[in-house]
């Protein structure tokens, strides 16, 4: 069986009218194993979002290979998207749909069988505690409620791979903790989760393996223990700083 | 393409659209209410105006030695008008008013118009005084005398000696003045005609001179065909207008609205293909367009039935059911093309607001294409059959008069569907263009503003400058003269505009103006380029004139206007060579190139900057040579990274051209082989520049392939 996520020499260079050529991602490589949470840890502008956008086929790689369940992101984007759910702060919901309609729409549009959709929607509404406002329009919901609907729509078609781009950004402590709980639960369901963060404690707590990304390059990749061994530092913050200092 | 997925998406789009109150109100309800209001308003205004004018007594004055005869003529005209008046309708009434100064009374509104009369002898004397001038100039002399700026002067072509002259002064900007003076002139003409007839009869002419030849026109077209010709020209304009207004609100929200809300990115991460997304959006816009157009057309028929709109009694519309079907079959491709175009605009724009900006030119462009049906003599059996929208416009006109050219109608439909499909593919590709689907980069530039935003604003600046160059001389008299135009263009537009761009966008002026030193070899190359660029240009213009010939007289007239004989040489060189050399290079190879150099690859950059430079030289026949010169100058700037050699080349080229003109050398008449000989010099100069190049900093690579990591 193909690896859930396989990335090799992935590169993204784009031209910005004001800045000229920008090397956002430089020949990175990693893979995700089935059922693990793999974290991309890096500061803002390190290349995390660009990497995830390439894996979810929003952006085209400039060079290199990336495969999801054996499907190439550049060659078979539709097959790739069928097998993953993407959650990001920038992927907004439709304001004029209700929570139920949103989950239903995304389940159907991603190929979930029509006959099973109502039951699936009910299940997700119950799991995420959306029941009270399931028939309320999205533009009338609070940001915490919207976040739950957004996660529900991400997993609506029950994809094997989930990509979360900075899922806790902008959330208060309680909502952030709830999000962490959801990620752990999804892992327990056997999903492979690739998620990006700049919050060390979050990566430390959730990830089976971590890739430290800086200025578009992966500086280190492995379990927390292996990273500690490599750098001789105990806390992830120190590991992170040590990796960056090493290259600069 | 999965039909079930598209169905799902269309249902979703429709639901989103119908839940948006703004869209429903603006695109469906408002037009349904506004159209009858407008029609009713027009009808009311037209009737009210007609009543007002009927009830008006027009005030006029008559001056001059021939006034009494004119008064008598007016009296005879009034009697004729009374005799000819429609039953139950009073002819217009006039009253003569005594005024001291008819000019000022007309200005003050105390008079509606006045007549200045001259006896034949007086007019003969005046003719002698302005001997050598034609009648139009005489009219000008009269205008100058009155100290007025009158737009519309109608003067008889030729006057026989001894014939009296009557001039009617009126103000076209006042309804009563325009209408009253027109009615009185008609009366005078009628009375004069009657006098002539009476005179001829008195002198023994047996029959009514009007009936010396029995002349008649017989229209062999059926009333339906005549009406069809009339409606066939208007119908496409009307339908395209309705489709545009109906579909535009839906289209704007469709992609640009989704981009703005961030939901497009969510949709793009689903397993639906981009083409399916675009097809579903297209079907939604098309459905809205069809629904709104049909609703509006139905609405219009209701108001026709209610009598809000009345057609002339002799217009009989009789369209067979077959013709209606063909018209509908032609309208559907129009709706498809219009909605595809709007979708393309929406896919290209990053925000709702940006879409609104693009809609206006699209609107005008489509209306111009639709107006093809108004062109006399254009038949569907021509190249117009492959021009989208214009072909349908011509086809509708032909169908409405009962002419069905089936093969060409099929070609029309095929051309329309091909155009729609191409636009759909393009829209779909746009959803793959990262610049258009991700907002981050734009936001960064937007937030940073100033220099970061300049590459996206530079074209708008030049559009503004171009518009000023066109508009200003038409409204400011001083700018119609060579010196005024030169000073305005050079110092206000190019120099002032450049400084303003540098100031407002906080640009580094050395970088923006590309004031960089160059290698010594570059100067040698530029010296070789000065004559060779001009001579090669003349060769190219010679070639282009084969395809786009311009009358010799026009070119000569232009040259004499541009280079007046009475100007001293130093002044001409200053105005036509030195100043444009410096100032235009600052604007075009300085700021325009700086703004675009990271947006376009070098070859496209050279073409675009050159073409824009050409377009600034207004006259159609100047665009080719100036665009060519612009391209050479841009190539020099791209290869040397500096505008300094461009200044020398531009000034040198213009000076050389002037010196050739003044010396009477007609290079255009040289044999082409001689001009061809110059090309190796030109190529060698360009090679020198390439050999010793110091390229413009930050240029994009020539090819699309992105260089590997540094």
């Amino acid at each position: 069986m193909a690896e859930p996520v396989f990335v090799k020499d992935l590169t993204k260079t784009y031209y910005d009218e004001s800045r000229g050529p920008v090397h956002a991602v430089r020949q990175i490589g990693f893979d995700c194993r089935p059922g693990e949470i793999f974290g991309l840890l890096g500061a803002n502008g390190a290349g995390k979002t660009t990497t995830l956008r390439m894996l979810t086929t929003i952006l085209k790689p400039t060079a290199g290979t990336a495969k999801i369940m054996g499907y190439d992101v550049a060659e078979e984007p539709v097959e790739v998207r069928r097998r993953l759910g993407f959650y990001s702060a920038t992927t907004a919901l439709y304001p004029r749909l209700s929570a139920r309609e949103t989950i239903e729409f995304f389940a159907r549009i991603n190929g979930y069988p029509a006959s099973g959709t109502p039951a699936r929607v009910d299940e997700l509404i119950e799991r995420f505690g959306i029941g009270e406002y399931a028939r309320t329009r999205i533009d009338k919901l609070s940001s915490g409620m919207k976040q739950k609907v957004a996660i529900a729509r991400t997993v609506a078609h029950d994809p094997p791979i989930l990509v979360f781009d900075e899922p806790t950004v902008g959330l208060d402590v309680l909502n952030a903790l709830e999000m962490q709980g959801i990620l752990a639960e999804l892992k327990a369901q056997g999903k492979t989760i690739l998620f990006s963060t700049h919050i060390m404690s979050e990566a430390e707590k959730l990830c089976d393996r971590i890739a430290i990304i800086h200025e578009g390059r992966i500086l280190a990749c492995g379990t927390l223990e292996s990273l500690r061994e490599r750098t001789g530092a105990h806390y992830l913050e120190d590991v992170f700083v040590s990796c960056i200092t090493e290259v600069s | 393409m999965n039909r079930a997925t598209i169905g799902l998406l269309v249902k979703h789009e429709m639901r989103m659209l119908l839940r948006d109150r703004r869209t429903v109100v603006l695109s469906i309800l408002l037009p349904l209410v506004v159209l009858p209001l407008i029609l009713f308003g027009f009808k009311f205004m037209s009737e009210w105006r007609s009543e007002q004018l009927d009830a008006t007594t027009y005030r006029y004055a008559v001056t001059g030695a021939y006034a009494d005869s004119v008064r008598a003529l007016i009296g005879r005209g009034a009697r004729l008008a009374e005799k000819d008046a429609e039953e139950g309708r009073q002819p217009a009434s006039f009253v003569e008013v005594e005024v001291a100064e008819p000019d000022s009374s007309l200005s003050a509104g105390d008079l509606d118009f006045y007549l200045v009369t001259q006896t034949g002898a007086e007019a003969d004397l005046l003719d002698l005084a302005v001997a050598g001038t034609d009648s139009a100039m005489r009219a000008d002399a009269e205008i100058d005398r009155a100290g007025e700026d009158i737009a519309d002067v109608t003067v008889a072509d030729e006057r026989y000696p001894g014939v009296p002259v009557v001039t009617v002064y009126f103000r076209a900007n006042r309804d009563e003045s325009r209408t009253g003076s027109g009615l009185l002139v008609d009366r005078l003409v009628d009375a004069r005609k009657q006098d002539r007839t009476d005179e001829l009869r008195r002198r023994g002419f047996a029959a009514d001179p009007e009936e010396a030849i029995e002349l008649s026109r017989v229209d062999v077209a059926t009333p339906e065909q005549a009406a069809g010709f009339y409606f066939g020209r208007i119908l496409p304009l009307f339908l395209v207008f309705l489709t545009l207004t109906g579909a535009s609100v839906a289209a704007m929200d469709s992609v640009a609205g989704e981009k703005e809300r961030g939901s497009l990115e969510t949709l793009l991460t689903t397993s639906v293909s981009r083409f399916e997304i675009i097809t579903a959006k297209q079907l939604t816009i098309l459905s809205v367009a069809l629904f709104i157009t049909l609703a509006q057309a139905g609405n219009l028929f209701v108001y026709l039935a209610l009598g809000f709109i009345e057609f002339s009694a002799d217009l009989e519309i009789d369209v067979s059911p077959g013709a209606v079907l063909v018209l509908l079959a032609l309208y559907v491709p129009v709706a498809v093309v219009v909605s595809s175009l709007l979708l393309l605009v929406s896919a290209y724009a990053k925000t709702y607001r940006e879409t609104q900006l693009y809609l206006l030119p699209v609107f005008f462009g489509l209306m111009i294409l639709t107006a093809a049906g108004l062109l006399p003599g254009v038949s569907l059996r021509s190249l117009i059959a492959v021009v989208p929208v214009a072909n349908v416009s011509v086809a509708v006109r032909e169908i409405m008069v009962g002419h069905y050219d089936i093969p060409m109608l099929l070609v029309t439909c095929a051309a329309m569907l091909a155009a729609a499909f191409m636009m759909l593919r393009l829209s779909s590709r746009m959803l793959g263009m990262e610049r258009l689907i991700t907002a981050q980069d734009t936001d960064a530039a937007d937030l940073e503003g100033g220099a970061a935003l300049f590459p996206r604003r530079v074209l708008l600046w030049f559009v503004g400058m171009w518009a000023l160059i066109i508009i200003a001389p038409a409204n400011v008299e001083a700018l119609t003269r060579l010196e005024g135009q030169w000073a305005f263009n050079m110092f206000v537009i190019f120099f002032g505009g450049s400084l303003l761009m540098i100031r407002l966008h906080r640009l580094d002026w050395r970088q923006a103006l590309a004031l960089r030193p160059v290698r010594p070899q570059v100067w040698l190359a530029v010296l070789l380029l000065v004559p060779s660029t001009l001579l090669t240009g003349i060769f190219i213009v010679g070639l282009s004139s084969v395809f786009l010939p311009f009358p010799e007289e026009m070119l000569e007239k232009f040259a004499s206007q541009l280079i007046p004989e009475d100007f001293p040489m130093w002044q001409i060189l200053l105005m036509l060579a030195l100043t444009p050399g410096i100032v235009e290079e600052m604007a075009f190879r300085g700021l325009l190139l700086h703004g675009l150099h990271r947006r376009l690859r070098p070859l496209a950059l050279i073409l675009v900057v050159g073409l824009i430079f050409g377009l600034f030289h207004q006259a159609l026949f100047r665009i080719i040579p100036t665009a060519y010169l612009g391209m050479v100058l841009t190539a020099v700037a791209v290869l040397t990274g500096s505008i300094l050699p461009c200044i020398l080349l531009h000034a040198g080229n213009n000076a050389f051209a002037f010196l050739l003109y003044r010396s009477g050398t007609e290079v255009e008449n040289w044999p082409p082989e001689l001009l061809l000989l110059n090309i190796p010099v030109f190529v060698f100069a360009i090679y020198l520049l390439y050999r010793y190049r110091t390229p413009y900093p930050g240029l994009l690579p020539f090819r699309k392939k992105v260089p590997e990591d540094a």
Side-chain angles (χ1 to χ4, degrees):
Chain A
M1 196 179 149
E3 284 167 295
V5 179
F6 170 77
V7 176
K8 191 182 173 199
D9 294 335
L10 195 65
T11 301
K12 182 68 188 175
T13 305
Y14 62 89
Y15 287 93
D16 184 86
E17 284 162 12
S18 48
R19 289 183 287 167
V22 176
H23 304 285
V25 174
R26 306 167 189 236
Q27 292 175 301
I28 63 166
F30 63 88
D31 54 15
C32 300
R33 294 163 196 160
E36 76 168 353
I37 298 185
F38 185 92
L40 275 180
L41 179 69
N44 290 337
K48 303 186 297 289
T49 300
T50 307
T51 304
L52 297 188
R53 282 180 157 188
M54 281 192 280
L55 292 177
T56 50
T57 77
I58 298 172
L59 300 183
K60 285 195 186 87
T62 309
T65 314
K67 288 183 177 179
I68 302 288
M69 305 289 285
Y71 293 103
D72 193 293
V73 294
E75 306 293 325
E76 297 154 295
V78 174
E79 292 302 323
V80 167
R81 291 199 295 268
R82 217 184 281 279
R83 283 157 183 81
L84 57 80
F86 180 50
Y87 174 95
S88 153
T90 58
T91 52
L93 298 171
Y94 289 101
R96 296 192 286 272
L97 291 188
S98 70
R100 170 173 273 280
E101 286 166 344
T102 303
I103 302 168
E104 193 183 325
F105 172 68
F106 281 99
R108 294 284 296 114
I109 212 74
N110 281 305
Y112 200 82
S115 55
T117 303
R120 175 71 179 159
V121 174
D122 288 339
E123 180 195 331
L124 291 170
I125 284 175
E126 199 188 326
R127 158 62 195 91
F128 292 104
I130 296 170
E132 267 181 44
Y133 49 87
R135 296 192 184 277
T136 310
R137 273 169 55 147
I138 298 291
D139 54 4
K140 303 271 190 286
L141 302 182
S142 70
S143 54
M145 292 168 174
K146 279 183 193 162
Q147 178 214 338
K148 285 181 184 168
V149 179
I151 299 167
R153 75 102 195 128
T154 307
V155 300
H157 57 298
D158 200 17
I161 298 161
L162 295 167
V163 179
F164 285 83
D165 184 18
E166 306 250 19
T168 55
V169 148
L171 296 182
D172 59 40
V173 181
L174 292 179
N175 279 320
L177 284 173
E178 193 173 354
M179 173 63 89
Q180 289 172 11
I182 291 167
L183 289 177
E185 192 185 310
L186 290 167
K187 184 198 165 188
Q189 286 172 15
K191 307 283 183 204
T192 303
I193 298 168
L194 173 59
F195 101 110
S196 72
T197 185
H198 66 274
I199 304 165
M200 307 289 159
S201 59
E202 206 168 76
E204 205 164 356
K205 191 170 159 187
L206 289 172
C207 296
D208 296 307
R209 287 191 305 139
I210 297 167
I212 293 174
I213 185 165
H214 181 66
E215 291 181 346
R217 287 196 176 90
I218 288 187
L219 306 181
C221 181
T223 60
L224 188 56
E225 282 311 312
S226 69
L227 292 176
R228 280 175 178 154
E229 268 175 38
R230 186 184 142 174
T231 56
H234 179 75
Y235 295 108
L236 186 54
E237 264 179 21
D238 297 329
V239 172
F240 182 77
V241 173
S242 165
C243 287
I244 290 176
T245 323
E246 217 173 85
V247 288
S248 56
Chain B
M1 219 166 40
N2 187 325
R3 268 191 289 176
T5 307
I6 290 176
L8 204 66
L9 281 168
V10 171
K11 191 180 152 198
H12 166 72
E13 291 283 337
M14 281 300 211
R15 186 158 58 180
M16 296 290 293
L17 202 70
L18 292 173
R19 283 184 187 176
D20 181 11
R21 278 191 212 142
R22 182 178 56 176
T23 305
V24 173
V25 170
L26 280 179
S27 64
I28 303 170
L29 297 179
L30 202 64
L32 286 176
V33 178
V34 166
L35 186 68
L37 279 179
I38 292 173
L39 292 173
F40 184 76
F42 269 124
K43 185 176 154 66
F44 175 78
M45 289 294 288
S46 155
E47 286 174 359
W48 183 77
R49 179 175 174 268
S50 174
E51 277 170 22
Q52 288 291 312
L53 288 177
D54 277 355
T56 303
T57 298
Y58 301 103
R59 298 154 302 164
Y60 70 96
V62 191
T63 64
Y66 196 65
D68 287 339
S69 300
V70 170
R71 286 190 189 103
L73 199 64
I74 292 172
R76 289 199 292 282
R79 284 191 290 280
L80 279 174
E82 247 170 62
K83 211 164 75 182
D84 295 342
E86 286 173 31
E87 220 170 284
R89 200 172 164 169
Q90 286 294 311
S93 72
F94 295 88
V95 60
E96 189 180 340
V97 180
E98 289 277 333
V99 291
E101 292 282 338
D103 277 349
S104 46
S105 296
L106 180 63
S107 302
D110 299 332
L111 271 185
D112 292 320
F113 57 93
Y114 66 91
L115 295 85
V116 175
T117 66
Q118 291 162 352
T119 60
E122 279 176 332
D124 291 347
L125 275 174
L126 190 68
D127 272 359
L128 278 175
V130 288
T133 61
D134 62 14
S135 54
M137 287 176 72
R138 187 158 53 83
D140 289 342
E142 287 288 307
I143 292 161
D144 290 345
R145 183 187 57 79
E148 293 268 358
D149 219 3
I150 295 176
D152 187 18
V153 179
T154 313
V155 180
D157 290 339
E158 198 180 325
R159 193 183 67 84
Y160 287 101
V163 171
V165 172
V166 179
T167 313
V168 182
Y169 291 91
F170 70 103
R171 284 194 164 269
N173 57 343
R174 288 212 313 257
D175 230 1
E176 303 82 10
S177 183
R178 195 179 55 239
T179 312
S181 59
L183 286 169
L184 192 85
V185 168
D186 287 348
R187 266 186 198 185
L188 288 173
V189 170
D190 287 346
R192 192 176 57 181
K193 205 187 280 175
Q194 187 61 45
D195 284 1
R196 195 173 56 211
T197 305
D198 294 346
E199 184 65 29
L200 282 167
R201 278 196 170 149
R202 238 192 332 271
R203 289 173 187 243
F205 202 85
D208 185 341
E210 291 289 320
E211 291 163 11
I213 299 172
E214 177 138 348
L215 193 64
S216 58
R217 286 170 77 213
V218 179
D219 183 4
V220 292
T222 62
E224 291 81 11
Q225 283 175 324
F229 180 71
Y230 175 73
F231 286 109
R233 289 182 299 170
I234 298 171
L235 192 65
L237 283 166
F238 175 70
L239 287 177
V240 169
F241 177 78
L242 282 185
T243 314
L244 267 170
T245 48
S248 55
V249 182
M252 276 195 283
D253 193 66
S254 181
V255 188
E258 279 220 45
K259 279 182 201 171
E260 205 163 283
R261 288 190 294 271
S263 53
L264 183 68
E265 208 171 314
T266 315
L267 194 60
L268 291 176
T269 58
T270 64
S271 59
V272 187
S273 77
R274 279 159 189 176
F275 194 66
E276 284 169 338
I277 295 174
I278 283 297
T279 308
K281 286 183 181 296
Q282 150 76 0
L283 285 173
T284 311
I285 300 169
L286 180 64
S287 310
V288 174
L290 287 172
F291 171 77
I292 290 174
T293 308
L294 290 175
Q296 291 283 26
N299 198 22
L300 206 66
F301 279 115
V302 171
Y303 298 121
L304 260 172
L306 290 175
F308 281 139
I309 319 163
E310 283 163 5
F311 286 126
S312 163
D314 55 350
L315 284 177
E316 290 179 32
I317 316 169
D318 181 22
V319 187
S320 68
V324 171
L325 278 179
V326 177
L327 288 175
L328 265 177
L330 277 175
Y331 169 64
V332 173
V334 172
V336 173
V337 165
V338 170
S339 46
S340 305
L341 186 59
L342 292 176
L343 182 65
L344 184 65
V345 170
S346 186
Y348 182 74
K350 293 199 77 166
T351 60
Y352 204 88
R353 204 170 129 246
E354 203 180 322
T355 319
Q356 286 173 320
L357 278 177
Y358 297 142
L359 274 185
L360 193 67
V362 167
F363 195 93
F364 281 125
L366 269 177
M367 294 315 277
I368 288 169
L369 280 176
T370 317
L374 302 175
L375 295 173
V378 175
S379 141
L380 194 58
R381 200 161 270 275
S382 67
L383 263 182
I384 203 108
V386 292
V387 181
V389 183
N391 52 7
V392 173
S393 183
V394 175
V396 169
R397 189 186 65 191
E398 293 191 357
I399 289 166
M400 291 294 280
V401 295
H403 179 66
Y404 295 85
D405 191 340
I406 301 295
M408 295 318 283
L409 284 175
L410 291 174
V411 171
T412 299
C413 284
M416 291 292 283
L417 293 176
F421 185 74
M422 277 169 61
M423 281 189 273
L424 278 186
R425 296 290 311 180
L426 204 57
S427 300
S428 166
R429 276 175 54 193
M430 277 179 187
L431 289 193
M433 288 170 75
E434 293 156 15
R435 187 183 72 79
L436 300 176
I437 53 171
T438 55
Q440 278 79 350
D441 306 333
T442 307
D443 291 345
D446 278 334
L447 288 172
E448 212 174 312
L453 214 50
F454 183 62
R456 260 185 280 139
R457 296 280 184 271
V458 65
L459 284 178
L460 277 180
W461 274 98
F462 276 80
V463 167
M465 286 157 67
W466 185 80
L468 269 176
I469 283 183
I470 300 285
I471 296 164
N475 293 288
V476 184
E477 206 195 329
L479 300 184
T480 52
R481 286 188 290 273
L482 182 66
E483 302 95 314
Q485 205 174 4
W486 166 77
F488 179 73
N489 290 0
M490 294 299 133
F491 299 110
V492 178
I493 299 289
F494 295 126
F495 188 69
S498 301
L499 292 186
L500 211 59
M501 280 185 259
I502 291 172
R503 174 99 179 93
L504 292 181
H505 286 279
R506 302 190 296 277
L507 302 174
D508 177 329
W509 63 274
R510 282 185 207 86
Q511 265 187 25
L513 295 176
L515 294 170
R516 301 181 183 92
V518 292
R519 294 179 176 179
Q521 293 90 335
V522 166
W523 298 111
L524 172 67
V526 169
L527 286 176
L528 290 173
L529 273 177
V530 168
S532 63
T533 300
L534 183 75
L535 296 176
T536 311
I538 290 168
F539 178 68
I540 290 172
V541 171
L543 279 182
S544 72
S545 66
V546 175
F547 306 99
L548 200 66
F550 289 99
E552 196 66 29
E553 310 82 64
M554 191 174 89
L555 299 177
E556 277 170 16
K557 191 179 168 202
F558 177 79
S560 65
Q561 280 173 352
L562 190 68
I563 312 171
E565 292 293 331
D566 52 343
F567 276 39
M569 187 177 284
W570 68 265
Q571 196 177 346
I572 293 281
L573 286 174
L574 175 74
M575 286 169 68
L576 297 184
L578 191 61
T579 328
I582 297 170
V583 179
E584 289 183 3
E585 287 316 300
M586 280 174 67
F588 291 95
R589 260 57 61 179
L591 284 142
L592 182 62
L593 187 62
H594 177 69
L596 294 179
H597 81 285
R598 279 181 172 159
R599 295 190 69 178
L600 299 168
R601 293 180 190 284
L603 215 54
L605 187 67
I606 291 168
L607 290 174
V608 169
V609 173
L611 192 65
I612 294 174
F613 180 69
L615 289 172
F616 268 76
H617 291 80
Q618 300 166 27
L620 197 57
F621 62 89
R622 286 186 75 201
I623 290 177
I624 292 173
T626 49
Y628 152 77
L629 176 65
M631 287 173 201
V632 175
L633 288 164
T634 314
V636 171
V638 163
L639 287 169
T640 61
S642 171
I643 66 161
L644 299 175
C646 302
I647 292 175
L648 177 63
L649 176 55
H650 193 156
N653 174 82
N654 290 11
F656 186 49
F658 163 69
L659 293 173
L660 281 178
Y661 175 80
R662 266 285 162 94
S663 67
T665 314
E666 292 184 347
V667 187
E668 301 82 4
N669 298 335
W670 287 3
E673 307 82 52
L674 209 61
L675 285 171
L676 267 173
L677 282 176
N678 159 72
I679 289 179
V681 182
F682 179 75
V683 173
F684 176 68
I686 294 287
Y687 167 76
L688 265 184
L689 288 175
Y690 180 75
R691 174 78 179 75
Y692 298 98
R693 67 187 179 277
T694 46
Y696 198 94
L699 279 181
L700 296 181
F702 266 84
R703 288 188 192 158
K704 201 173 181 182
K705 192 176 176 332
V706 176
E708 288 302 315
D709 248 359

